[in-house]
Amino acid sequence: MPNRATVFRWLGKYESFSDQYARAREEQAQTLADEIVYIADNQVIGQKTVSKATGLEITEADMIEHRRLQIDARKWVAAKLLPKKYGDKIQNEHTGANGGAIIIQSTPQDEAL
């Protein structure tokens, strides 16, 4: 496996390598999305130990918190790898007073320019 610095140098030097790298990153994001669905659909039974005044309490149940962390981590990485597909859509709208049209008024100072 080449050094990380070598890979980045190749990205700038070889167009075909850069194209292959971009496709691989897209596939990586898709794989993460597939893993999210798998993690969400499949229970993971585990033991949780809680220390209480009366002693240790051990419960066996679905590891929901752990699965949620796995999903959130994959969602974050997928959004960074492929923001147009998996990132949050941000839409800015500009409106005037009360949601109406924006009114542009010139001042005498503007007309002197």
Side-chain angles (χ1 to χ4, degrees):
M1 194 67 191
N3 186 304
R4 186 180 196 137
T6 302
V7 171
F8 287 117
R9 193 170 43 254
W10 289 350
L11 286 171
K13 190 173 182 180
Y14 304 110
E15 187 176 340
S16 65
F17 180 77
S18 182
D19 293 341
Q20 290 173 355
Y21 183 85
R23 282 195 304 277
R25 285 301 199 172
E26 288 175 12
E27 285 298 318
Q28 181 184 17
Q30 185 58 49
T31 299
L32 291 171
D34 293 340
E35 288 177 3
I36 288 170
V37 172
Y38 179 83
I39 292 166
D41 287 347
N42 294 283
Q43 284 188 343
V44 177
I45 304 299
Q47 290 185 344
K48 186 174 184 179
T49 306
V50 179
S51 179
K52 296 193 173 198
T54 58
L56 291 178
E57 179 180 305
I58 299 173
T59 57
E60 191 170 292
D62 184 14
M63 305 301 287
I64 295 172
E65 297 89 0
H66 179 70
R67 290 173 44 216
R68 185 175 293 124
L69 176 63
Q70 289 178 310
I71 289 169
D72 287 345
R74 283 163 175 78
K75 282 176 17 182
W76 184 85
V77 173
K80 298 302 176 192
L81 291 172
L82 213 53
K84 289 182 181 179
K85 187 170 184 178
Y86 297 112
D88 294 328
K89 182 179 179 184
I90 299 174
Q91 183 174 346
N92 292 324
E93 293 184 18
H94 300 284
T95 60
N98 299 320
I102 297 174
I103 300 170
I104 300 174
Q105 296 177 342
S106 62
T107 63
Q109 189 177 36
D110 291 336
E111 291 174 6
L113 295 174

